Amino acid sequence: RLAKNTFDTLCQWLKEDDWKFDTDEDRLLVTFRAVGDDLTMNLAVQINTELMIVSVYNYFDFEIPQNKRTAMAVAICMANERLHDGNFDLNLANGSMLFRMTCSFRESLLGKELMMYLVATSCTTTDNFNDKFYDFVNDKISFEELMAWIKK
């Protein structure tokens, strides 16, 4: 019941805020897109009934090539150290990357404000980093330049 209430709260907020989104009620999954300064962000919010958590996944629109994955993993570790909430993940097998935030709703209800916080923080954090990650992947900046930017 708490999971369905959390799902309904999320959908209600997205409707009120005029987001275009898709839902899979059986999986308690909501997907939508946001546009940052210049790159599109693909978001999914998953309600996990077993763990009693809501997770926001912000998928990057590009993959990390095999020859850059180790360096990107190091950069992500450095970036994650600087974050207050959420984390970047890199799948070393296929090069996909995402930003993830998770919050428990065990014995509680997550309100509209928390949903807004999760989505806004995910979008802001991803938008802050995705340009530099993209530039590194496309040889516009070096690994050293990426690391220096992250350390700032």
Side-chain angles (χ1 to χ4, degrees):
R1 176 111 178 110
L2 285 176
K4 180 68 169 114
N5 287 344
T6 300
F7 179 80
D8 291 343
T9 298
L10 172 64
C11 292
Q12 179 184 355
W13 167 63
L14 290 170
K15 282 179 193 169
E16 288 172 3
D17 226 29
D18 292 325
W19 287 82
K20 292 181 177 147
F21 61 97
D22 295 311
T23 60
D24 181 338
E25 289 198 41
D26 293 335
R27 295 174 52 209
L28 298 177
L29 175 70
V30 178
T31 56
F32 52 100
R33 295 169 67 95
V35 178
D37 288 337
D38 48 17
L39 294 175
T40 301
M41 295 175 272
N42 302 296
L43 292 107
V45 181
Q46 177 77 59
I47 313 295
N48 185 313
T49 57
E50 191 174 310
L51 298 176
M52 303 290 285
I53 59 173
V54 58
S55 297
V56 177
Y57 303 101
N58 198 328
Y59 297 94
F60 282 70
D61 231 7
F62 55 91
E63 291 183 357
I64 312 307
Q66 182 70 40
N67 66 331
K68 300 244 180 179
R69 291 181 191 166
T70 300
M72 185 60 83
V74 171
I76 286 173
C77 286
M78 181 66 77
N80 283 340
E81 182 182 6
R82 299 215 164 311
L83 299 176
H84 299 288
D85 209 350
N87 62 280
F88 291 103
D89 290 329
L90 170 63
N91 182 321
L92 289 174
N94 66 18
S96 64
M97 204 161 93
L98 62 86
F99 180 77
R100 172 199 331 243
M101 292 185 74
T102 301
C103 186
S104 173
F105 57 87
R106 186 174 302 278
E107 298 183 24
S108 63
L109 289 175
L110 300 184
K112 179 173 82 170
E113 292 78 13
L114 184 59
M115 294 297 180
M116 290 168 58
Y117 169 78
L118 292 171
V119 171
T121 301
S122 175
C123 287
T124 301
T125 304
T126 300
D127 197 41
N128 285 342
F129 283 86
N130 65 5
D131 294 344
K132 293 297 184 188
F133 290 157
Y134 181 84
D135 287 349
F136 171 66
V137 165
N138 289 288
D139 295 320
K140 294 179 181 178
I141 63 171
S142 68
F143 176 72
E144 292 75 19
E145 290 170 313
L146 175 61
M147 294 303 286
W149 179 84
I150 292 172
K151 290 177 185 178
K152 284 202 288 187

